[in-house]
Amino acid sequence: MQKELKVIGKPMPKLDAGIKVSGKAVYGQDVVLPDMLYGAILRTEYPVAELVSIDTSKAEQLAGVVSIITADDVDVNNISYRRDHPALKKGRVNCIRDEIAAVAAETPAIAREALKLIEVKYNVQEGVFDPFEALKDDAPQINEFSSHEKNKNISHPFHYEHGDLQQQKDKSAHIVTSRYFLPRMTHACLAPCAITADYSNIDNRLTLYSVTQVPFLYQRDMAHVLKMEPSRIRVIQTVIGGGFGSKLDMYPYEPICALLAMKSGRPVQITFDREEEFIASPTRQKMVIDLTSGVDEKGKFTFRVAKIIMDNGAYTSWGATTPFVMMQTFSSMYQMPACVFDADAVYTNNVYAGSFRGYGNPQATFAVERNIDLLAEKLGMDKAEIRLLNANFRGEFTGQELEFNTCGHKDALEMVIDGVGKTRKENDKDQKRYKKGIGFASMLHVGGGAKIYPSDGCGTILKMDDYGYLTIITGSSEIGQGSETVLGMMAAEELGIGIEKIRVINTDTDIKPWDVGVHASRTSFVAGNSLLGAIKELKTKLSPKAAEMLKTDEDDLEYDGGTVKSIKTGESIKIDKVARQIHFKGPNDLLTVSHYYEPGSKFADKNFKGNISGAYAFAAQAIEVEVDTYTGNVRVLNIHMAQDVGKVLNPLGLGGQIEGGVVMGMGYALTEELKVDNGYILNPSFHEYKLPTACDIPEIHFYPIETIDEAGPYGAKGVGEAPLIPTAAAIANAVSNAIGVEIDSLPITPEKVLQALSNKS
Amino acid sequence: MNFNVASPETNEELFEVIAANQGRNFRFGAGCTDLLIELKKQPEKDLTVINLGYLNDPQFNSIENNDGSVRIGALVTANRITSDLTIQERLPVLYEAANQLASGQIRQVATIGGNLCTASPAGDMACALVALKAECEILSANGKVRVVPIEDFFTGVRKTDLKENEILRSVQIPVNNSGEKVHSGFIKVGVRRSMECSVVSLAYHIQITADDIITLAGIAIGSVAPTIKFASSACEYLTGKRFSEIGSSESEEFATKILEYASPISDIRASAWYREEVLFNISKSIFE
């Protein structure tokens, strides 16, 4: 039986809250090294052009300029897992972000001034900005490093299928087909990109003060680009002001900064201003999804056929692999007898997409959930009922071979259906001008890591000092998601020491053990399990000594209140005293241990089948909206969110993740779109890129569901991405419900709503 | 973004610095909420910003309640306007416009004079002032004062009637103290509920006698033409009517008259079609 928990499940303020609210946190922008220079990057003026010449001579004359580099000055490999992205562009530019030259100077102002003095002659060319155009035979090859056989402009194709499609089509009473359009969304991290590179030509080591969320993959990628040994690169993560997936890839500015440091022999810092952040950061994939779904006469789903074209942009990032996640939603969210899925990441001359919280899942969920409403309408079936009927269940082994050992899907649906019933007041009848509606959506996402890299593990080193203070050195990273607090809570729970005696070290690849990085909602799950394993090993040192000192059996020990207690005799001894005895008396050892945890998940086979995660998270949302038919404005009135989190570890941190995610989902649903026209970004500022504000946020009713998954720490599953994923789908369904129109694209702007109403009448 | 700054503290210093900059490139800055963004986007060479932040003159800095009018100094911030009780009670259209302007931080420093002199067709307080038929009091560097009706103040997109040696000192708004009811408000349409720039705006200020007759109407529209427009035929249409008897056909006729003043463009925020559609809808909504 699980013992009573004293720390886990109780609200705990984040360990880094103090330094953040007091302004003491050192973000990338705050790093200052002796003798440091400031770097700036010259980007192209035109999305597509031949680079006729680059003349840096005038810039070199400017006082205070120390180094200038172009592609001709460096010997490097390409970036990206497709190796299709040169850090500095040679010969031609392919999108408006393209880096042509970089300057290191004594001050940021001099560096910017020098950029203006670099003379570039362009031979401007026509670009291809529509992926469907790029797929045509007569389209030019957009990326010269593109290597896929299927089509010169396809970076990465995916195909998946299960079940007997024809049989399921025959069983179907209704079939619906729709095309959905999903926009580019940008992460809008509070802290723009920043890096400081420091190269020592004495020992040929490179130190990077970086904002990466995957430090060990980053170290390897940087080494590849710079043709260095990875172990000569030390990655120190600064406090990171928002990641949301944007820092999963390495981008050109990072090796460029390292190259400037190598050339100048001095540390160099590059930071983006807000406009550059909008222009040069990756986005959520813009995509077009064609989805056909079937249902039998009783309302059971029969099949899904999805065909997706993703606008990859000019180069490939991890974002091109979002089909890995999307196919799970099509194949396995709600019981699904048959599924055929195709997705192509297509090169265009637009800005390239990257990875973003939810990793394709918000798009996939939007399509699936809109189709479900259409099917329910055809059947004349209640939209809550059809979802309950098809909900996933514990013990389900899906067509894609995902194993749902725990599953709170149905419970989540029931909670939000009940919740929305309560907030929708009876007297809330539709008025002439304002129409109200309710929408439902579910979500399925990995909740125990995702085995896509040769290891999905995390290492932990523990050190307890002579005074009973614990240092947790974890491979995992903190990017604001609150995982280091959760790790501290776990250690406090297991060792019975106050959280103030625990320190988490998690920012230095020279010190911390390996971890694959912050992604796939995995950190609390994987790093938590790793920590629990390490604590077990620490106790194999602590417990024998404590038992000896207390003259009792190891099995009778309890760690509580800074002491080790004998349950039998009631006697206790301070834990630091045990530590000192081990150190100074015998066995003359230090309380230092390490542990590596690898989740029990499997790799997918070549057909993308396999149980790739240690656990799966489920959620459901019911959202109430009010549509102003005069202006088309959608006001979200209530959001009911129920999520199978396995086990609530830190209710405060969880609440933050839920509310933050839901709000991000609202932005995706209603206001946010990075607008790109002929390759140019039209709204690179917070003035025209519309994030929701506090005034737009409704009551968020959150219902955690605890299914206690034995794979997770205390039964917990990953939670970080889930709250964002179903929000846009549920809002779209609610708007459609309110005014009786099809909503097939995001964001649902007032103009689209008014246009739909006008088309209807 | 480099520029010289001159910060006059008295009228005399102000006149001097204006005179000294004649024939040169200079701009006035008060809250600077628009100016700095503009200069960041398009830096100007040899620019002097005449910073009005230290100018100590009640005629620029205060709100005066006179008999039959309210006089608001050009340097009065949006926040001060929203906290003025007379404006709240007698001029709801201006109160609402000031309250919906941008964000709390910006309202703390943005001035009514800046909102007018920027002459944006999307100016919120400016739109309210047009509906209120305010008058602009303009001071020249030689100490002369002239008064122009606000409608004549705006001459084009970001263009005003101000001459090179002139500065806006205050706006004067007529207030009816006869105890008539007012139906007055500001409708701002955008994508989100705050920190928004108007996609369409409508300011209305209608006075109604105790026996329900409309004696005066002021209607102005924003973001649908190169300048803020006063919809005089819509105002005339209302004058003399019984307020409570305006039904749906009257309000649609009223909205149609307002539309005649709109000549919107399509831009990144919305299409011309959307702007006209919404303008019609919100126009009729003021009688619902």
Side-chain angles (χ1 to χ4, degrees):
Chain A
M1 207 188 104
Q2 185 82 35
K3 66 171 180 140
E4 193 200 333
L5 297 172
K6 294 186 171 149
V7 183
I8 294 295
K10 312 281 190 299
M12 176 71 72
K14 283 185 176 176
L15 298 183
D16 57 0
I19 59 162
K20 283 186 174 166
V21 298
S22 62
K24 302 281 185 202
V26 177
Y27 291 88
Q29 287 75 1
D30 302 322
V31 173
V32 179
L33 298 181
D35 218 18
M36 185 171 87
L37 299 172
Y38 297 86
I41 293 170
L42 180 71
R43 296 177 192 278
T44 177
E45 283 176 53
Y46 309 96
V48 188
E50 196 187 319
L51 291 173
V52 180
S53 66
I54 307 168
D55 181 358
T56 59
S57 56
K58 281 188 190 147
E60 278 157 22
Q61 305 295 311
L62 184 68
V65 169
V66 178
S67 294
I68 299 183
I69 52 172
T70 66
D72 286 336
D73 303 312
V74 297
D75 173 25
V76 290
N77 288 317
N78 280 353
I79 296 175
S80 146
Y81 80 97
R82 304 299 287 180
R83 306 285 184 238
D84 66 356
H85 192 176
L88 284 159
K89 278 61 181 178
K90 193 180 172 79
R92 59 177 295 106
V93 288
N94 265 331
C95 80
I96 198 70
R97 281 185 195 141
D98 276 2
E99 297 80 1
I100 294 174
V103 177
E106 299 288 350
T107 69
I110 295 171
R112 280 196 302 272
E113 194 56 38
L115 294 185
K116 291 183 201 155
L117 299 175
I118 298 175
E119 290 170 0
V120 182
K121 286 207 177 99
Y122 301 90
N123 178 13
V124 179
Q125 296 173 341
E126 291 282 307
V128 182
F129 304 107
D130 176 352
F132 292 94
E133 291 296 318
L135 288 172
K136 289 182 178 164
D137 289 341
D138 58 352
Q141 177 165 339
I142 291 160
N143 186 305
E144 62 179 303
F145 305 100
S146 160
S147 55
H148 215 277
E149 300 152 4
K150 189 172 164 186
N151 180 304
K152 60 182 177 292
N153 283 331
I154 290 181
S155 163
H156 201 154
F158 290 83
H159 174 80
Y160 165 84
E161 60 179 77
H162 79 253
D164 184 336
L165 182 65
Q166 193 52 52
Q167 188 191 48
Q168 292 300 323
K169 279 189 174 172
D170 294 344
K171 269 193 186 176
S172 302
H174 297 282
I175 293 175
V176 296
T177 299
S178 272
R179 172 168 278 201
Y180 300 108
F181 303 87
L182 289 314
R184 285 186 192 83
M185 178 191 192
T186 190
H187 305 76
C189 296
L190 213 51
C193 289
I195 184 170
T196 309
D198 186 9
Y199 183 76
S200 163
N201 50 20
I202 296 165
D203 59 6
N204 299 325
R205 283 177 185 267
L206 175 66
T207 303
L208 298 169
Y209 299 82
S210 160
V211 291
T212 180
Q213 59 188 85
V214 289
F216 290 95
L217 303 192
Y218 184 86
Q219 180 190 43
R220 183 205 56 178
D221 290 348
M222 186 66 79
H224 172 79
V225 172
L226 300 176
K227 302 184 177 177
M228 282 178 77
E229 288 174 75
S231 302
R232 291 197 173 274
I233 299 174
R234 178 183 186 187
V235 180
I236 296 174
Q237 292 157 284
T238 64
V239 174
I240 298 170
F244 313 111
S246 66
K247 292 156 175 92
L248 199 65
D249 274 277
M250 189 179 70
Y251 299 104
Y253 81 96
E254 294 165 289
I256 285 173
C257 190
L259 290 162
L260 286 171
M262 288 167 158
K263 184 163 182 198
S264 64
R266 290 166 63 178
V268 178
Q269 182 170 85
I270 292 181
T271 59
F272 286 2
D273 66 12
R274 183 55 66 183
E275 192 172 6
E276 192 169 17
E277 180 77 7
F278 273 105
I279 291 169
S281 302
T283 68
R284 193 183 288 292
Q285 274 71 20
K286 183 182 166 88
M287 55 179 81
V288 175
I289 302 178
D290 288 312
L291 179 62
T292 302
S293 307
V295 68
D296 72 13
E297 61 200 8
K298 291 184 180 142
K300 288 286 279 184
F301 300 150
T302 49
F303 74 93
R304 288 185 193 128
V305 177
K307 169 80 186 138
I308 301 174
I309 297 295
M310 304 190 286
D311 188 339
N312 193 55
Y315 308 99
T316 308
S317 78
W318 283 118
T321 66
T322 48
F324 273 124
V325 173
M326 289 197 283
M327 67 175 72
Q328 287 172 20
T329 298
F330 289 104
S331 77
S332 304
M333 182 168 77
Y334 301 100
Q335 299 161 49
M336 186 43 55
C339 173
V340 178
F341 170 94
D342 284 282
D344 293 328
V346 180
Y347 287 114
T348 65
N349 292 114
N350 292 318
V351 290
Y352 45 93
S355 69
F356 198 148
R357 191 180 194 178
Y359 216 73
N361 208 347
Q363 295 97 312
T365 300
F366 179 85
V368 166
E369 291 288 355
R370 279 301 299 138
N371 254 14
I372 290 173
D373 267 22
L374 298 178
L375 289 171
E377 281 161 21
K378 290 241 178 190
L379 275 168
M381 194 168 175
D382 181 77
K383 286 166 185 167
E385 194 58 38
I386 196 170
R387 289 177 166 86
L388 285 168
L389 179 70
N390 289 283
N392 294 114
F393 57 90
R394 185 163 67 91
E396 187 178 347
F397 183 70
T398 78
Q400 204 185 343
E401 301 179 9
L402 312 181
E403 296 171 33
F404 298 157
N405 295 326
T406 55
C407 174
H409 187 192
K410 200 169 177 193
D411 290 343
L413 278 165
E414 281 168 350
M415 289 300 288
V416 299
I417 292 165
D418 185 53
V420 81
K422 284 177 185 155
T423 53
R424 183 164 215 208
K425 297 174 205 90
E426 280 179 21
N427 59 2
D428 254 3
K429 293 229 176 70
D430 276 350
Q431 297 162 338
K432 183 171 163 259
R433 174 171 175 179
Y434 299 98
K435 308 281 185 200
K436 290 189 171 131
I438 291 178
F440 299 98
S442 300
M443 90 87 226
L444 158 69
H445 203 71
V446 292
K451 200 156 273 187
I452 47 171
Y453 191 73
S455 167
D456 192 28
C458 174
T460 306
I461 296 170
L462 292 181
K463 186 179 87 132
M464 183 175 269
D465 69 12
D466 293 340
Y467 315 102
Y469 277 61
L470 181 78
T471 303
I472 300 169
I473 304 169
T474 174
S476 67
S477 302
E478 173 69 39
I479 61 168
Q481 82 276 41
S483 68
E484 68 183 18
T485 307
V486 160
L487 295 180
M489 290 170 74
M490 288 180 190
E493 181 74 52
E494 295 301 317
L495 292 168
I497 58 176
I499 196 139
E500 72 284 353
K501 293 188 173 173
I502 296 170
R503 214 177 127 67
V504 182
I505 303 286
N506 52 3
T507 57
D508 187 342
T509 55
D510 267 9
I511 295 166
K512 66 180 186 174
W514 194 88
D515 170 77
V516 79
V518 181
H519 74 107
S521 305
R522 67 186 283 281
T523 305
S524 290
F525 185 96
V526 180
N529 276 337
S530 176
L531 172 70
L532 292 178
I535 289 172
K536 218 171 176 181
E537 291 185 28
L538 191 72
K539 284 186 175 176
T540 64
K541 293 190 173 191
L542 273 167
S543 293
K545 191 70 185 178
E548 180 195 315
M549 292 166 78
L550 290 165
K551 300 188 177 61
T552 187
D553 294 334
E554 282 182 48
D555 294 346
D556 296 330
L557 297 177
E558 190 182 73
Y559 289 77
D560 186 26
T563 69
V564 189
K565 225 189 273 177
S566 162
I567 302 168
K568 223 187 270 170
T569 66
E571 273 184 69
S572 67
I573 184 162
K574 284 189 170 169
I575 197 166
D576 51 301
K577 196 165 182 190
V578 181
R580 286 194 295 272
Q581 289 275 327
I582 291 169
H583 186 179
F584 299 118
K585 293 275 160 74
N588 294 115
D589 195 6
L590 290 175
L591 286 170
T592 312
V593 297
S594 86
H595 183 78
Y596 188 68
Y597 167 77
E598 179 69 39
S601 46
K602 300 177 194 126
F603 294 104
D605 63 20
K606 63 180 184 348
N607 298 316
F608 299 112
K609 288 184 182 172
N611 192 37
I612 63 152
S613 183
Y616 296 88
F618 301 86
Q621 287 184 3
I623 295 183
E624 257 181 286
V625 303
E626 180 181 80
V627 180
D628 182 344
T629 60
Y630 280 15
T631 63
N633 282 95
V634 175
R635 188 169 174 195
V636 180
L637 301 176
N638 278 289
I639 295 184
H640 297 269
M641 165 68 174
Q643 186 171 329
D644 173 4
V645 299
K647 164 80 188 165
V648 177
L649 298 174
N650 181 6
L652 265 184
L654 176 61
Q657 282 282 37
I658 298 296
E659 289 178 11
V662 163
V663 168
M664 201 172 230
M666 275 185 62
Y668 187 49
L670 295 172
T671 57
E672 289 183 50
E673 178 176 13
L674 194 72
K675 295 176 184 168
V676 179
D677 182 36
N678 279 323
Y680 292 95
I681 293 175
L682 302 182
N683 55 341
S685 75
F686 281 132
H687 189 56
E688 294 296 352
Y689 184 88
K690 307 277 184 186
L691 290 170
T693 73
C695 300
D696 302 296
I697 308 307
E699 198 71 37
I700 298 168
H701 311 265
F702 173 51
Y703 317 97
I705 290 169
E706 297 192 321
T707 50
I708 316 293
D709 195 299
E710 62 179 24
Y714 306 93
K717 303 176 174 185
V719 302
E721 292 166 281
L724 151 89
I725 292 167
T727 307
I731 289 175
N733 282 343
V735 172
S736 178
N737 176 248
I739 55 174
V741 300
E742 169 65 344
I743 299 291
D744 59 6
S745 75
L746 296 177
I748 309 166
T749 60
E751 177 147 6
K752 282 185 196 168
V753 170
L754 221 54
Q755 189 72 60
L757 281 167
S758 157
N759 294 345
K760 187 184 162 196
S761 63
Chain B
M1 187 166 54
N2 278 325
F3 48 79
N4 304 312
V5 180
S7 300
E9 291 178 27
T10 63
N11 267 342
E12 292 67 37
E13 287 175 13
L14 175 66
F15 293 156
E16 273 170 34
V17 69
I18 293 174
N21 277 285
Q22 294 302 295
R24 296 179 167 187
N25 188 15
F26 77 95
R27 304 280 298 268
F28 291 111
C32 294
T33 56
D34 265 353
L35 183 68
L36 290 183
I37 292 170
E38 202 185 310
L39 293 179
K40 192 180 167 206
K41 269 189 198 160
Q42 265 180 320
E44 292 180 19
K45 276 212 162 149
D46 304 321
L47 175 72
T48 297
V49 171
I50 300 179
N51 168 31
L52 303 171
Y54 296 103
L55 186 63
N56 188 10
D57 176 352
Q59 288 186 292
F60 274 98
N61 289 322
S62 65
I63 301 177
E64 275 173 39
N65 289 307
N66 303 320
D67 189 33
S69 73
V70 172
R71 187 179 174 287
I72 304 175
L75 296 177
V76 171
T77 64
N79 260 3
R80 269 182 64 203
I81 287 171
T82 58
S83 56
D84 185 277
L85 291 178
T86 308
I87 293 172
Q88 282 179 22
E89 277 169 30
R90 302 299 300 157
L91 307 169
V93 59
L94 179 60
Y95 165 76
E96 289 180 15
N99 201 33
Q100 290 179 53
L101 181 101
S103 65
Q105 293 93 328
I106 290 175
R107 289 194 291 272
Q108 188 68 27
V109 292
T111 62
I112 193 165
N115 200 251
L116 286 173
C117 294
T118 290
S120 159
D124 291 326
M125 289 189 283
C127 190
L129 291 173
V130 172
L132 289 167
K133 298 177 198 167
E135 289 183 323
C136 298
E137 185 202 31
I138 295 167
L139 183 65
S140 84
N142 57 25
K144 281 191 185 151
V145 174
R146 68 184 175 107
V147 173
V148 296
I150 190 153
E151 240 199 310
D152 300 337
F153 185 73
F154 301 117
T155 55
V157 181
R158 302 203 167 264
K159 287 200 181 90
T160 67
D161 184 45
L162 286 174
K163 302 197 172 55
E164 199 192 359
N165 67 342
E166 288 181 331
I167 183 169
L168 179 73
R169 182 161 71 182
S170 71
V171 287
Q172 188 137 328
I173 305 161
V175 176
N176 184 320
N177 286 329
S178 64
E180 287 190 352
K181 275 194 305 184
V182 291
H183 181 55
S184 172
F186 183 71
I187 301 172
K188 175 168 177 169
V189 178
V191 169
R192 57 188 176 194
R193 289 162 63 84
S194 74
M195 290 188 70
E196 192 57 291
C197 179
S198 294
V199 169
V200 180
S201 60
L202 174 77
Y204 60 95
H205 187 77
I206 300 167
Q207 279 173 213
I208 308 150
T209 61
D211 49 355
D212 199 34
I213 306 291
I214 296 174
T215 53
L216 190 134
I219 306 289
I221 53 178
S223 297
V224 287
T227 61
I228 294 162
K229 291 280 184 182
F230 185 79
S232 49
S233 71
C235 299
E236 283 156 21
Y237 175 78
L238 292 180
T239 312
K241 286 203 164 44
R242 284 186 181 279
F243 180 73
S244 63
E245 285 174 7
I246 296 173
S248 63
S249 65
E250 287 84 1
S251 63
E252 290 198 1
E253 197 174 339
F254 164 75
T256 308
K257 287 187 185 298
I258 290 179
L259 267 191
E260 286 166 16
Y261 294 86
S263 51
I265 53 160
S266 295
D267 64 12
I268 185 174
R269 289 182 200 142
S271 70
W273 172 85
Y274 176 79
R275 289 187 157 103
E276 289 198 343
E277 200 79 0
V278 168
L279 180 61
F280 181 83
N281 289 340
I282 60 174
S283 297
K284 68 181 184 181
S285 81
I286 68 175
F287 298 105
E288 287 173 356

